[in-house]
Amino acid sequence: MAMYEIRHAYDSLQVAEEKPGELSLEARLRAINRPLLDWYRNHARILPWREDPKPYHVWISEIMLQQTRVEAVKPYFERFLEALPDISALAAVEDDRLMKLWEGLGYYNRARNLKKAAQVIVHEYEGRMPSEYQELLKLPGIGSYTAGAIASIAFGKPVPAVDGNVLRVISRVTASRRDILKASTKKWMEDRLRETMPQSEASDFNQGLIEIGAIVCVPNGQPKCGQCPLASVCLSRQQELWQEIPVKTPPKKRRIEEKTVCILECGHQVALKKREDEGLLASLYELPNAEGFLSEEELGEAFGIMPELMVQIEPLPQAKHIFSHVEWHMKGYRIRLSGGIPESYISAGKEELKSVYALPGAFGRYTKLIK
Ligand code: ADE
């Protein structure tokens, strides 16, 4: 029997003999190991990135899964790997193609960092993903969660991978009232789990915790404690605390920006602009837009078009897009032009819109209306 197994057996015994409230924090954490692993091996969802957990696959999936739901990620993951099957392909991809592959996933810096990190791996690690947690942490876009996920899932290293799911599950199991939005809470949890997690089954342990957080101890609404393998050790279940834990301090209010967005079209061509290289949605393409809610009379000046060239102006529905720190509230117009798309814009055909230019989801309400 391996050392951790003896420890598990002992831990389970402790749980059986003591009342749940009497366990030390460390004993409570050790007590989750066995039931968690057993449950995960029977309940893990079949997901594309779990079929062949190569470092590259784990890396891409974990970056995509940040702030994005599993169901939404699946088709992107498959398409991305088909287009860029390995690290050297990613390191060499053109920026516009990369943005097109990421189009609609949001948080585009994630994709830019993937490419930067791939270039570092090619130049400094002979094209092979480093396996050590501390080396992974040095790569652009890789923080403690992703480094832990890659090191444990792809290389079997005994390091924790604490994301929002794990923060919620462990806070509930231990009835911790630390604020899970604070970096210090994440560090505290990583330090505790590094000690208590099963050292030779880190991959299933970490994925099991994430899985429980995703499908049992859910982020919104009542946790499904009746299905939870950790219910017998969970202090929040015992004390009915699921509505209070995890503790999250409310985030700051988002700034609201009002905009007017235009579909400027002439025949089958539409006008686009490329966004600045820095800041929100950097280097992506956008529909022409201007600050504020503009009236029809103000459009010519705002978009640099002589009024006599505007053949028809059609108001479009309002739309809203929420980023982490800003909300765009948008008013829209379709403007039919004569004499072609003005030279200050990129003139794009329908096919190019589909295959070449990455337009962020923020304009989705209007790009859908391009005929
Ligand atoms: N969310 C974050 N990482 C995940 C993973 N590896 N599997 C399922 N959901 C996840």
Side-chain angles (χ1 to χ4, degrees):
M1 210 187 226
M3 192 55 210
Y4 70 85
E5 284 174 305
I6 297 170
R7 232 169 29 208
H8 285 312
Y10 174 70
D11 293 337
S12 319
L13 239 156
Q14 270 197 318
V15 178
E17 287 175 357
E18 294 181 44
K19 291 205 189 99
E22 291 169 2
L23 286 181
S24 68
L25 174 68
E26 187 183 334
R28 189 173 303 282
L29 289 176
R30 286 192 195 284
I32 70 175
N33 294 352
R34 197 72 255 161
L36 176 68
L37 292 171
D38 290 344
W39 177 87
Y40 180 68
R41 286 166 189 164
N42 288 312
H43 292 83
R45 286 170 295 176
I46 296 170
L47 297 172
W49 45 90
R50 289 185 178 159
E51 280 164 25
D52 178 13
K54 282 198 182 92
Y56 182 58
H57 297 177
V58 175
W59 176 33
I60 301 300
S61 66
E62 291 299 343
I63 298 295
M64 286 185 172
L65 285 160
Q66 290 167 12
Q67 286 114 352
T68 312
R69 288 175 309 105
V70 164
E71 285 310 312
V73 164
K74 281 183 188 171
Y76 280 93
F77 177 79
E78 311 258 17
R79 202 167 52 121
F80 195 94
L81 282 195
E82 220 171 279
L84 306 172
D86 52 34
I87 294 176
S88 58
L90 172 58
V93 69
E94 293 236 346
D95 289 347
D96 279 358
R97 178 137 184 266
L98 178 64
M99 289 301 113
K100 194 69 196 161
L101 287 166
W102 208 264
E103 183 182 43
L105 266 182
Y107 301 95
Y108 294 83
N109 275 339
R110 293 185 293 174
R112 287 186 260 273
N113 280 330
L114 276 177
K115 177 175 164 181
K116 280 190 208 153
Q119 290 174 335
V120 175
I121 295 169
V122 166
H123 292 122
E124 295 180 22
Y125 297 92
E126 297 173 345
R128 281 192 293 275
M129 192 94 189
S131 63
E132 292 302 326
Y133 175 81
Q134 292 299 341
E135 292 300 305
L136 288 162
L137 263 188
K138 293 180 193 162
L139 296 170
I142 297 196
S144 66
Y145 166 72
T146 313
I150 298 170
S152 62
I153 301 172
F155 296 106
K157 306 268 176 184
V159 283
V162 175
D163 71 347
N165 287 313
V166 177
L167 280 161
R168 179 172 58 261
V169 174
I170 297 296
S171 296
R172 284 199 174 136
V173 167
T174 61
S176 160
R177 288 185 189 272
R178 290 166 195 258
D179 179 352
I180 63 163
L181 297 180
K182 284 194 175 156
S184 57
T185 300
K186 189 170 171 195
K187 170 83 171 53
W188 171 82
M189 203 172 283
E190 287 165 350
D191 290 346
R192 301 286 78 71
L193 290 174
R194 195 173 292 114
E195 291 296 311
T196 61
M197 66 193 288
Q199 302 292 299
S200 59
E201 289 161 291
S203 169
D204 285 357
F205 175 82
N206 285 336
Q207 292 191 82
L209 276 182
I210 294 168
E211 201 77 346
I212 288 190
I215 63 184
V216 178
C217 199
V218 288
N220 300 307
Q222 188 162 4
K224 301 170 185 164
C225 301
Q227 299 171 25
C228 184
L230 310 182
S232 68
V233 246
C234 181
L235 270 183
S236 292
R237 170 157 163 92
Q238 190 199 359
Q239 298 170 12
E240 292 177 22
L241 296 174
W242 70 267
Q243 291 180 90
E244 291 166 46
I245 292 177
V247 172
K248 283 189 200 182
T249 41
K252 284 202 192 117
K253 274 202 156 171
R254 281 187 285 265
R255 184 175 78 248
I256 292 181
E257 289 182 8
E258 292 183 341
K259 286 183 182 296
T260 300
V261 178
C262 281
I263 302 175
L264 281 182
E265 57 186 29
C266 184
H268 294 295
Q269 298 294 116
V270 293
L272 297 182
K273 280 260 184 199
K274 187 158 189 172
R275 288 180 66 83
E276 304 278 316
D277 292 339
E278 302 283 331
L280 186 67
L281 305 175
S283 311
L284 297 177
Y285 294 86
E286 64 182 357
L287 292 176
N289 62 86
E291 260 179 48
F293 281 169
L294 304 182
S295 65
E296 293 191 17
E297 292 69 34
E298 293 170 307
L299 296 175
E301 188 179 337
F303 292 98
I305 304 162
M306 289 195 290
E308 57 272 26
L309 296 180
M310 297 197 268
V311 180
Q312 192 190 17
I313 300 175
E314 174 197 345
L316 299 174
Q318 297 212 352
K320 187 152 117 176
H321 187 84
I322 297 177
F323 298 94
S324 33
H325 303 298
V326 193
E327 280 181 28
W328 283 1
H329 292 195
M330 292 168 280
K331 172 177 180 175
Y333 293 97
R334 184 197 305 281
I335 305 178
R336 294 216 167 82
L337 300 173
S338 64
I341 300 289
E343 285 194 350
S344 52
Y345 294 98
I346 297 163
S347 172
K350 301 285 149 66
E351 266 318 302
E352 291 170 308
L353 270 179
K354 279 209 199 99
S355 59
V356 180
Y357 298 108
L359 278 150
F363 295 98
R365 184 80 184 78
Y366 299 108
T367 44
K368 253 196 344 226
L369 299 174
I370 297 174
K371 290 176 190 154

